[in-house]
Amino acid sequence: MTILEFFLWSLVKVAVVTVAMLMGVAYTVLLERKLVGRIQNRWGPSRVGPFGLLQPLVDGAKSFLKEDLIPTAVYRPIYILAPILSLGCALLSIAVIPFGAPIGPHHLDLFEISNVNIGLLVILGVTSMGVYGIALAGWSSNNKYSLLGSLRSSAQLISYELALGLSLVGVVLRAGSLNLRVIVEQQATLGAVTWNIFGGFQFVAFFIYLMAAFAETNRSPFDLPEAESELTGGYHTEYSSMKFAMFFMAEYANMINVGCVATLLFFGGWTSPVPNWNWLPTIANPFLVAVLSIFWFVSKVFLFSVSMSGCGERCPVSAMTS
């Protein structure tokens, strides 16, 4: 493969994964609004498209078209940079997440943008940088409510990063590697029996990871940084239009990220829970391998996202679209 072919192939993978990630963010918002609507004995979004499935497209268009108000007292360069930094860090970590097994006789790596030996460390490092977006948003807004909200959110994120990182130590020691693909392959021996949460006896570590993930993504009951009753709206009080939407896109992108990491480290990644299915890549055609890998991975991430959405008592994006 020449340098040009490698560049073009990498560009295609980046484009596909980015679009898939943004679509996942949009429909995770729709899923939460539907779930919260059911909890509150109402339908939720149901008017735009069949079953309300086109609602995220309308919400995105409305966010772009709304007036972008910038207060006169803000520090404009950092004020504009903050939402970009938050969303960029949330999207960047998806680059090292493998979505499926290598296919074909040459083990073509279609389902990962970059296979990095320290992939887990990259994810922890990149996601931890997202706190700067929140802190800078509160400081640059020149608003005491925004500043208090950003300080509260930064303290929470930094505190729970320690617990989240320590919960992964057992998985790393068991696999002997920080490479996410190696960690998944180590769990593929006997299906669900050898997944880290069961065969590795990492259920306590998973519970700690789950609680830290709720805190890292500002899910209830860890949503104090956005306490509307006392901080108006927290660190994003002075933001409107697409800048406001970018903060919540980052929040839901982080939900998908923690679901992907949980799937890879505790639930076998793209491997099947049925033991006899994991030998299919050695005999099956590449298309079947790709479909099964994506199916198992997406199913596990979806179930994890549903559990996080079902525990949310508020859907902040509904305020954006009202």
Side-chain angles (χ1 to χ4, degrees):
M1 182 180 291
T2 64
I3 295 178
L4 179 61
E5 290 174 340
F6 174 78
F7 176 76
L8 293 176
W9 183 241
S10 299
L11 194 63
V12 169
K13 290 198 288 186
V14 169
V16 171
V17 170
T18 302
V19 171
M21 183 68 167
L22 293 177
M23 290 294 290
V25 168
Y27 281 94
T28 301
V29 175
L30 179 63
L31 172 65
E32 179 168 325
R33 293 178 68 182
K34 284 281 192 180
L35 288 175
V36 173
R38 292 290 182 173
I39 292 171
Q40 298 173 354
N41 197 25
R42 55 186 177 84
W43 286 104
S46 59
R47 295 179 179 272
V48 184
F51 306 104
L53 292 177
L54 298 182
Q55 185 69 42
L57 302 180
V58 177
D59 291 345
K62 189 173 183 180
S63 299
F64 274 109
L65 297 176
K66 273 196 169 185
E67 183 179 3
D68 186 15
L69 299 174
I70 300 180
T72 55
V74 302
Y75 187 69
R76 289 179 68 97
I78 295 180
Y79 177 86
I80 295 172
L81 176 65
I84 298 174
L85 183 62
S86 292
L87 182 59
C89 291
L91 295 178
L92 188 60
S93 60
I94 205 72
V96 297
I97 291 178
F99 300 98
I103 61 175
H106 301 292
H107 297 283
L108 185 62
D109 196 357
L110 290 178
F111 304 114
E112 186 176 17
I113 296 176
S114 178
N115 186 5
V116 183
N117 285 331
I118 54 170
L120 181 57
L121 204 58
V122 170
I123 292 176
L124 294 176
V126 169
T127 53
S128 67
M129 293 292 291
V131 70
Y132 285 101
I134 294 173
L136 293 176
W139 179 82
S140 64
S141 294
N142 196 22
N143 179 308
K144 61 182 179 181
Y145 295 110
S146 299
L147 181 60
L148 288 173
S150 66
L151 291 175
R152 188 185 278 187
S153 184
S154 301
Q156 177 175 296
L157 293 179
I158 294 172
S159 300
Y160 281 93
E161 276 178 8
L162 178 62
L164 188 143
L166 290 176
S167 68
L168 307 179
V169 171
V171 173
V172 173
L173 290 176
R174 188 165 187 259
S177 174
L178 290 168
N179 189 309
L180 295 172
R181 190 172 293 281
V182 173
I183 294 175
V184 172
E185 291 171 351
Q186 177 260 337
Q187 302 175 71
T189 311
L190 296 173
V193 178
T194 51
W195 289 355
N196 281 326
I197 190 171
F198 302 124
F201 299 103
Q202 296 294 316
F203 37 83
V204 175
F206 173 71
F207 178 78
I208 297 173
Y209 174 86
L210 183 63
M211 293 300 102
F214 272 89
E216 289 286 303
T217 53
N218 288 338
R219 311 306 296 166
S220 180
F222 300 98
D223 55 350
L224 289 177
E226 300 166 2
E228 292 90 350
S229 61
E230 54 191 276
L231 294 176
T232 307
Y235 57 89
H236 52 72
T237 299
E238 300 293 351
Y239 284 88
S240 62
S241 185
M242 199 60 202
K243 296 187 185 70
F244 178 84
M246 288 173 72
F247 279 115
F248 290 106
M249 290 171 65
E251 179 177 325
Y252 286 88
N254 282 324
M255 282 177 55
I256 296 176
N257 285 334
V258 297
C260 291
V261 173
T263 298
L264 293 170
L265 301 186
F266 295 101
F267 295 100
W270 59 82
T271 62
S272 167
V274 182
N276 292 335
W277 283 33
N278 289 324
W279 47 261
L280 278 175
T282 61
I283 62 171
N285 62 71
F287 178 75
L288 181 58
V289 174
V291 169
L292 288 176
S293 298
I294 293 296
F295 171 76
W296 288 119
F297 186 86
V298 172
S299 299
K300 296 170 186 177
V301 175
F302 175 76
L303 292 175
F304 192 89
S305 299
V306 167
S307 68
M308 298 194 73
S309 298
C311 293
E313 294 180 354
R314 85 290 185 271
C315 185
V317 179
S318 60
M320 171 186 67
T321 57
S322 60

